[in-house]
Amino acid sequence: MSWQSYVDDHLMVELPGGGKLSSAAIYGQDGGCWAQSAGFPTLDADQAKVFVSGFSDPGSVAAGGIKIGDRKFISIGGIPGECLRGRKGAAGCCVKKTNTAMVIGIYDEGVQGGDCNVIVENLGDYLIGQNI
């Protein structure tokens, strides 16, 4: 299965509470894009480095927030060592760390943050199980 198929078939799908993610991507921890949906904001290598350090120290992203391209979300925690979560108004994001990659989902108004977290984190857990 191609990386694009993971994004298209596992992230950009109808969510349990209704709606879909507005965009999603899989990036390497080095900041390289493996696959992304249409409209995903460009993530640069510096932003990827902030995520990687934020997984082990969530407080390091608290002050500056979670920046994905030109979008900025307030850090609302996550699970240390596993994922970061952000929110801005009715929109938000979830970034799940795998062994070598990051699964990223962004949602807008009409989508429940918990639905985004579940779909992003489940794919991340699957990839971890595949040693990716």
Side-chain angles (χ1 to χ4, degrees):
M1 181 181 286
S2 74
W3 291 114
Q4 192 62 49
S5 294
Y6 283 105
V7 171
D8 296 341
D9 300 337
H10 298 282
L11 295 173
M12 300 303 295
V13 297
E14 189 71 27
L15 299 171
K20 292 183 178 185
L21 298 180
S22 58
S23 58
I26 301 173
Y27 271 77
Q29 290 183 18
D30 63 356
C33 180
W34 294 8
Q36 65 184 20
S37 66
F40 188 85
T42 303
L43 181 75
D44 65 38
D46 290 336
Q47 290 171 326
K49 288 177 189 174
V50 170
F51 291 163
V52 171
S53 64
F55 291 127
S56 56
D57 179 17
S60 69
V61 296
I66 298 173
K67 296 177 186 169
I68 304 174
D70 60 351
R71 296 190 70 173
K72 182 176 177 182
F73 302 92
I74 298 167
S75 176
I76 57 170
I79 302 170
E82 293 186 26
C83 71
L84 302 170
R85 296 179 184 140
R87 190 155 177 99
K88 182 176 182 181
C93 66
C94 180
V95 183
K96 171 71 175 179
K97 177 182 177 256
T98 72
N99 297 337
T100 58
M102 299 177 288
V103 180
I104 307 167
I106 299 174
Y107 63 93
D108 289 321
E109 187 173 350
V111 171
Q112 296 297 315
D115 285 345
C116 174
N117 298 344
V118 167
I119 201 160
V120 168
E121 293 171 31
N122 282 350
L123 179 56
D125 288 340
Y126 170 78
L127 296 175
I128 290 168
Q130 300 300 306
N131 202 28
I132 297 170

